[in-house]
Amino acid sequence: LRNGGRLRVSNDHEPPVCRSSPLDYRIIIPRKQYQAQLAQWKALAVSLQDRKACDIEGFSAGETRPIVIRVHGTSKEAIGALKVQVEALAAGVPVDGWHATFRISPNPFFASVLADTGVYLCADISEMRLKAYGGNGAVERAKEMVRAHLQRLSSEKQSTTLKVESVKFFVQEGLATLRETLGENLVRFSLHTRVLTITGGEEASQM
């Protein structure tokens, strides 16, 4: 999996069963997260001085499957130090602010952030918070986009046009969930125009 000190991902076989031991630590992350953080994962791999003592590599079962990050070697101390770095990188960066529309999946706003900044946004619905994954500068730009988006949503009515590929899933699952969360009369969706309109900005931001 190594090439010139760079972290590479194999798609040739099933990922190993994730387990944790003093000399072999593994963690699963979404592929989109890995792709958004690719430069950071590679930099982490390049920074290793003694790859026999401690090394890092990635496994995947296919081009759309999650990534298994593996830290292993002969030095318990070196592996422990690298494990801390891997967990910090995998944890992402908290993003301030929340709105009920962040519950929509796939989320057109998240897709626009990814396209504009390369940052992968993930919503923790139970905790009502966002996490960002990507380079430091890109994450800051993504945070600015989130702040601006929340300001727009704070008005009484906000509309967004869903992408064609998102409509089917939204109609089947997302629309009912959103109406149940915010109220039947606060959510309007036109299948013809693909425009989603939500009324009650400040209330919705807390749900």
Side-chain angles (χ1 to χ4, degrees):
L1 295 177
R2 284 265 177 202
N3 182 9
R6 294 177 296 175
L7 179 68
R8 298 182 62 193
V9 174
S10 170
N11 294 314
D12 298 333
H13 57 280
E14 287 292 329
V17 176
C18 285
R19 65 181 185 273
S20 180
S21 73
L23 299 179
D24 195 333
Y25 168 77
R26 310 181 189 198
I27 187 172
I28 297 176
I29 63 174
R31 178 171 287 269
K32 286 185 178 180
Q33 174 184 336
Y34 175 80
Q35 292 171 335
Q37 296 178 309
L38 183 58
Q40 293 162 287
W41 288 114
K42 286 184 176 181
L44 189 58
V46 171
S47 71
L48 301 177
Q49 299 298 314
D50 184 350
R51 296 185 188 126
K52 182 177 180 181
C54 183
D55 203 359
I56 183 172
E57 57 187 343
F59 296 89
S60 175
E63 294 182 356
T64 62
R65 301 292 297 277
I67 304 296
V68 178
I69 301 295
R70 181 190 182 203
V71 175
H72 62 101
T74 60
S75 170
K76 184 177 179 180
E77 181 179 355
I79 290 172
L82 182 57
K83 175 186 173 183
V84 171
Q85 293 178 280
V86 167
E87 289 179 338
L89 185 54
V93 179
V95 179
D96 293 335
W98 178 259
H99 193 273
T101 55
F102 294 160
R103 298 172 184 268
I104 299 172
S105 179
N107 194 291
F109 172 66
F110 293 177
S112 69
V113 172
L114 181 62
D116 290 350
T117 69
V119 170
Y120 172 63
L121 287 179
C122 182
D124 184 332
I125 296 176
S126 63
E127 297 291 334
M128 293 194 299
R129 64 180 181 180
L130 296 180
K131 285 287 191 71
Y133 303 89
N136 293 335
V139 166
E140 288 305 313
R141 293 195 299 274
K143 286 183 176 180
E144 288 294 335
M145 289 185 68
V146 171
R147 282 193 285 268
H149 186 63
L150 289 173
Q151 287 178 353
R152 290 193 297 270
L153 290 174
S154 66
S155 62
E156 185 178 0
K157 277 189 178 182
Q158 288 298 326
S159 298
T160 185
T161 302
L162 271 62
K163 292 184 177 181
V164 174
E165 58 269 28
S166 302
V167 170
K168 182 178 179 180
F169 180 86
F170 178 69
V171 170
Q172 290 177 343
E173 299 188 30
L175 182 59
T177 300
L178 201 55
R179 283 176 172 167
E180 181 180 354
T181 302
L182 298 180
E184 185 76 21
N185 297 328
L186 298 181
V187 180
R188 292 285 182 270
F189 178 66
S190 170
L191 188 59
H192 176 67
T193 62
R194 294 181 282 111
V195 173
L196 170 65
T197 302
I198 296 177
T199 304
E202 187 61 30
E203 179 183 357
S205 68
Q206 303 302 320
M207 301 189 70

